[in-house]
Amino acid sequence: TLDVLTFGEAMVSFRSAGPLQSDAAFTPGLAGAESNVAIALARLGHRTGWVGRLGADPFGELALRELRAEGVDVTGVSSEADAPTGLMFLEQRTADTSRVEYRRAGSAGSRLCPADITSALELRPRILHVTGITPALSQTAHDAWRASLGEALGDDVFVSLDVNYRARLWDRATARDVLRARVGRADVVIASEDELDLVADGAEAEAAEALLSRGASYVVVKRGACGATVWTEGGRIDAPALPVRAIDTVGAGDAFSAGFLSGLLDGLEPGQCLERGVLLGAWAVSTRGDWQGLPRRGELDLLALGAGTTLR
Ligand code: ATP
């Protein structure tokens, strides 16, 4: 059985060494919020599966090869003969800001449908991790997302929802309606400070309280370089961000989510889960790539070493 099952759209990202308008070189790699989480968890030794549709093209092969190489279960991945793998082009504009151009409309990934998930759920994962990106992809992906959080999902499956609002895919009003319709099934809700209003009303404390009373056990709020907070029945716990040199902030949120879930799987206390989330977020920003620099379990303590440390 799997520790964590996740599904969504995986793409190939092309990272540009300069502005997208220039003739700078591109480096291809696997991208996608849910596959990032799956890989981060697999590196920490958790059994993880990812479900989605890829194009029958070289980019789909690249995505599948990376997932396999990272030890992610891909039994539930299917290939579309007549739709391409989604692509994104990424330009790191400054050390702290990146800009993304998507070519994902009509992609193979957006053809995800309810049957893809229901058959994968027969693997009975301990945790189902979903994001608010999937329901924005297409009607069938929305149906799949809704169905995965519906009655067919056993009560014993712990659900993690990362709000992950994508302004390029839908507007806030639509996202609000869709996410609120299912957020009650989530045991852990993860949101950035500016995403919390999509799933609950009021200031942070009030919104967290509302989500806890709707059934969540953990409400986690990410604050970028200011760290993160977890709200539980027991109250509020804060963790500052780790003081690292940020060289690539893409993927910090996904790494953070994986860290928090890894803590839950290890049976840690909420504050320790938060600390592992913050640690993984720091790893993501201080290494290049969405997930390529993330740690194996034995490397988790590396960031605590001082700057300039060489391991010999
Ligand atoms: P993204 O969408 O870019 O993946 P996000 O908005 O979902 O990011 P952030 O809040 O930016 O998520 O980052 C997640 C976590 O990563 C933060 O809560 C923090 O712990 C860590 N983090 C982010 N930026 C930094 C930083 N500059 N230095 C150290 N840790 C950071």
Side-chain angles (χ1 to χ4, degrees):
T1 72
L2 291 173
D3 292 321
V4 182
L5 178 72
T6 185
F7 63 87
E9 177 171 25
M11 290 167 287
V12 170
S13 72
F14 290 86
R15 286 176 171 260
S16 171
L20 288 178
Q21 297 88 338
S22 73
D23 62 354
F26 287 104
T27 309
L30 169 65
E34 302 85 1
S35 50
N36 289 347
V37 171
I39 289 173
L41 283 161
R43 286 207 174 173
L44 295 177
H46 303 289
R47 288 156 306 173
T48 311
W50 178 83
V51 172
R53 297 194 180 204
L54 296 165
D57 52 33
F59 304 121
E61 284 176 40
L62 185 159
L64 199 54
R65 186 169 51 74
E66 292 286 46
L67 288 162
R68 284 204 177 105
E70 294 295 331
V72 174
D73 184 292
V74 291
T75 317
V77 177
S78 57
S79 174
E80 292 289 289
D82 56 351
T85 304
L87 304 180
M88 60 185 267
F89 299 85
L90 214 145
E91 165 193 2
Q92 193 165 352
R93 202 65 193 96
T94 68
D96 275 336
T97 45
S98 299
R99 195 148 66 185
V100 177
E101 248 322 278
Y102 290 109
R103 290 295 178 273
R104 71 194 297 182
S107 66
S110 70
R111 294 195 179 176
L112 192 76
C113 71
D116 298 344
I117 316 301
T118 35
S119 53
L121 279 172
E122 285 162 16
L123 297 172
R124 312 252 23 110
R126 288 173 66 190
I127 298 180
L128 174 68
H129 175 74
V130 303
T131 77
I133 300 171
T134 313
L137 296 175
S138 68
Q139 186 59 51
T140 60
H142 179 190
D143 293 343
W145 183 86
R146 237 185 6 210
S148 78
L149 303 178
E151 313 224 307
L153 184 66
D155 290 340
D156 53 330
V157 181
F158 185 96
V159 172
S160 159
L161 166 67
D162 183 342
V163 173
N164 241 322
Y165 175 65
R166 290 284 188 269
R168 295 284 183 89
L169 297 178
W170 54 352
D171 60 62
R172 294 189 83 90
T174 312
R176 234 166 163 264
D177 290 346
V178 168
L179 297 174
R180 285 180 185 223
R182 279 287 185 270
V183 72
R185 180 59 185 86
D187 298 289
V188 48
V189 179
I190 304 175
S192 298
E193 279 180 292
D194 61 356
E195 291 172 339
L196 210 51
D197 67 296
L198 296 174
V199 284
D201 293 324
E204 185 172 320
E206 201 183 325
E209 188 53 49
L211 291 166
L212 293 172
S213 64
R214 279 195 73 179
S217 301
Y218 310 85
V219 177
V220 186
V221 182
K222 297 173 290 180
R223 310 180 199 285
C226 295
T229 298
V230 60
W231 298 84
T232 65
E233 287 298 338
R236 164 188 186 144
I237 305 171
D238 295 305
L242 297 179
V244 292
R245 186 149 61 93
I247 60 167
D248 179 353
T249 57
V250 179
D254 302 330
F256 174 93
S257 295
F260 192 88
L261 296 180
S262 168
L264 289 177
L265 287 165
D266 285 357
L268 302 184
E269 294 298 320
Q272 297 172 307
C273 295
L274 186 69
E275 273 168 30
R276 190 170 292 174
V278 162
L279 178 59
L280 264 281
W283 269 94
V285 302
S286 59
T287 56
R288 236 168 258 297
D290 294 14
W291 52 265
Q292 285 83 350
L294 294 182
R296 272 90 188 167
R297 189 169 278 258
E299 296 174 314
L300 276 176
D301 297 334
L302 251 172
L303 271 185
L305 303 173
T309 302
T310 303
L311 295 174
R312 296 181 196 275

